[in-house]
Amino acid sequence: MMPWRYVLPLAFLALSTPAIAAQEIRPNVVVIFADDLGYGDLGAYGHPTIRTPRLDRMAAEGLKLTQFYTAESVCTPSRAALLTGRLPVRSGMAGDRLRVLFPNSLGGLPQSEITLPEALKERGYATAAIGKWHLGHLPEYLPTRHGFDQYFGIPYSNDMESKQRGDPPLPLMRGEQVVEQPADQTTLTRRYTEEAIGFMRANRARPFFLYLPHTFPHVPLFASDEFRGRSPRGLYGDVVEEMDWSVGRILDALRDLGIAERTLVVFTSDNGPWLTRGLQGGSAGLLREGKGSTWEGGMRVPAIAWWPGTIAAGRVSESLASTMDLFPTALAMAGGAPPRDRVMDGVSLLPLLRGERQPPRDPVFFYRGTRLFAVRKGPWKAHLITQSAYGTDAPVVHDTPGLVAEQVGVDVRDAEGA
Ligand code: MG
């Protein structure tokens, strides 16, 4: 028979082991969301003059995705999709006449939607939104009413100051209060970065979700004194390079805090470049069209995932993925499952991130407002409506009857042996 002096410590061990396991801190999730940054605007994606050493290094240390799609080609629906894991038509955040919210809009993301921060809060996460919101600026739609513990940023796009429309000067908000009006846009990127680092430091001992939707490179462009006039690509380049600096500060802070190994950071963009803005807009590289369009340049965006110790360094994947996948991915990391009472359009990318076999993710649907424009399946994309987002200001342009199919990628199952 076992002597008592052994039994007690063993009993203690048996009782305490599950407790220790339960206390293991769930991984953090950081989503850095550029605004109107094109597929071709980063060094890692081939831009010849914009210097993005920190994002390039993030890709070299992590996973670069080359077939990653946003769910819509303009701000409001794209953000709704990211935070709900659902196509914007499902949440009502999809307009045909007005495709985004304006300062005189009365609506916003409905309370009936379950947002990612709400789902993560239930699992003990601290949550913050720092940057541009654009899912409703009236009190009932603010980030603080949609699962975020704290908010600092502008409530809609930085160009929404139309005197003709009667817009107020651009507000900068903390929580539900306007703290600066007009917002000093030259220091926004810098202030978002400091705010984000403060949030991560304050919550380093518990799991957190940081949503950092930058104001730029959406026009009008502003950079701080330190970055203005530095890039051969002009002010657009300055702005992207300051964002690159910001990403570097965030990754450095995670390392300094000792939490990099339990933090997934995803950097991507809400939609393609605003091509009609000339040099003030970005580049979709070799892809057709940009912001506002369901052609590849409007929908396919740069995407880099970084999670030291979990994501192997230097991987490039042609797997089909979407911003809508971030909701189920983050929830899986938090040990939860997506809501069952509604249709979810995203899937968890955890197998892909871990280097395991990711089940085929087909098909992907591309809407403009409430109309289905295109479908991607495997390497093929069928354009049901080939209306251009450019060309003329006429409401309907270049409408080609019939269906156009283009091969926009390789068959991932061939390329990656999946
Ligand atoms: Mg945008």
Side-chain angles (χ1 to χ4, degrees):
M1 194 182 146
M2 193 179 280
W4 277 108
R5 63 172 195 261
Y6 293 127
V7 171
L8 267 175
L10 280 174
F12 176 75
L13 197 67
L15 283 171
S16 61
T17 303
I20 290 167
Q23 278 172 6
E24 196 178 287
I25 303 175
R26 293 286 186 186
N28 307 310
V29 179
V30 176
V31 176
I32 306 174
F33 212 33
D35 194 344
D36 295 1
L37 182 81
Y39 188 79
D41 281 329
L42 303 179
Y45 285 79
H47 199 282
T49 57
I50 299 176
R51 293 161 299 199
T52 53
R54 295 310 307 262
L55 281 157
D56 300 351
R57 199 206 298 179
M58 181 182 174
E61 293 173 356
L63 171 66
K64 178 173 114 172
L65 294 153
T66 59
Q67 309 215 30
F68 187 90
Y69 290 101
T70 183
E72 244 276 20
S73 60
V74 290
C75 297
T76 296
S78 168
R79 284 146 211 271
L82 185 152
L83 289 178
T84 61
R86 288 149 55 81
L87 284 165
V89 282
R90 300 197 198 279
S91 61
M93 291 283 92
D96 290 318
R97 196 173 62 82
L98 294 178
R99 296 182 64 196
V100 299
L101 295 169
F102 285 89
N104 58 359
S105 300
L106 300 175
L109 185 66
Q111 280 303 335
S112 53
E113 290 298 314
I114 297 172
T115 65
L116 178 54
E118 283 169 348
L120 291 175
K121 253 172 93 76
E122 270 182 25
R123 308 198 66 82
Y125 279 60
T127 57
I130 299 166
K132 166 174 150 178
W133 178 237
H134 217 177
L135 289 172
H137 55 275
L138 297 180
E140 61 264 43
Y141 301 117
L142 287 173
T144 42
R145 310 288 180 97
H146 271 303
F148 287 106
D149 299 329
Q150 59 189 79
Y151 172 55
F152 177 68
I154 60 171
Y156 39 70
S157 295
N158 62 335
D159 64 340
M160 293 182 166
E161 292 185 291
S162 160
K163 290 209 170 70
Q164 212 175 6
R165 199 166 46 214
D167 296 348
L170 184 68
L172 178 68
M173 304 186 73
R174 180 175 292 286
E176 300 185 3
Q177 303 299 320
V178 175
V179 292
E180 191 177 295
Q181 197 168 17
D184 176 3
Q185 296 201 46
T186 61
T187 55
L188 276 186
T189 299
R190 191 161 285 266
R191 285 188 282 170
Y192 290 167
T193 309
E194 297 310 321
E195 186 84 9
I197 292 170
F199 169 76
M200 297 192 300
R201 185 178 296 125
N203 293 288
R204 63 187 181 276
R206 60 182 285 203
F208 60 76
F209 170 54
L210 168 61
Y211 174 51
L212 178 48
H214 276 288
T215 291
F216 304 116
H218 191 290
V219 295
L221 301 171
F222 291 94
S224 68
D225 289 342
E226 208 181 304
F227 285 87
R228 200 168 49 237
R230 282 195 353 176
S231 170
R233 175 59 175 77
L235 184 55
Y236 186 87
D238 297 339
V239 167
V240 175
E241 291 183 12
E242 185 156 25
M243 187 176 300
D244 179 72
W245 164 87
S246 171
V247 171
R249 287 287 317 273
I250 301 284
L251 301 187
D252 288 348
L254 288 168
R255 285 224 158 96
D256 292 345
L257 293 168
I259 54 176
E261 275 72 24
R262 59 175 169 89
T263 305
L264 167 67
V265 183
V266 174
F267 176 92
T268 186
S269 177
D270 71 333
N271 51 252
W274 207 346
L275 298 178
T276 55
R277 298 303 161 123
L279 285 177
Q280 300 274 306
S283 164
L286 298 175
L287 306 177
R288 179 171 172 175
E289 295 207 343
K291 176 175 180 169
S293 170
T294 46
W295 291 98
E296 287 292 276
M299 307 299 303
R300 204 195 289 200
V301 285
I304 303 169
W306 182 92
W307 186 358
T310 298
I311 296 178
R315 283 175 58 212
V316 178
S317 174
E318 291 172 313
S319 280
L320 214 52
S322 158
T323 50
M324 291 183 289
D325 299 340
L326 298 179
F327 186 122
T329 305
L331 215 54
M333 289 166 63
R340 290 224 179 134
D341 64 341
R342 60 199 67 206
V343 177
M344 299 296 288
D345 296 291
V347 298
S348 170
L349 298 176
L350 260 187
L352 175 69
L353 300 182
R354 289 177 173 148
E356 298 160 4
R357 187 182 178 282
Q358 178 77 26
R361 192 198 185 290
D362 284 341
V364 175
F365 296 99
F366 301 90
Y367 281 82
R368 247 168 77 178
T370 59
R371 290 199 295 167
L372 179 65
F373 267 58
V375 183
R376 166 92 192 251
K377 182 168 169 56
W380 290 93
K381 187 171 172 186
H383 296 269
L384 312 174
I385 304 174
T386 55
Q387 185 179 344
S388 170
Y390 303 96
T392 89
D393 290 331
V396 176
V397 291
H398 305 321
D399 231 341
T400 314
L403 184 146
V404 171
E406 58 170 349
Q407 185 165 355
V408 295
V410 296
D411 193 324
V412 176
R413 275 155 290 192
D414 290 345
E416 302 187 358

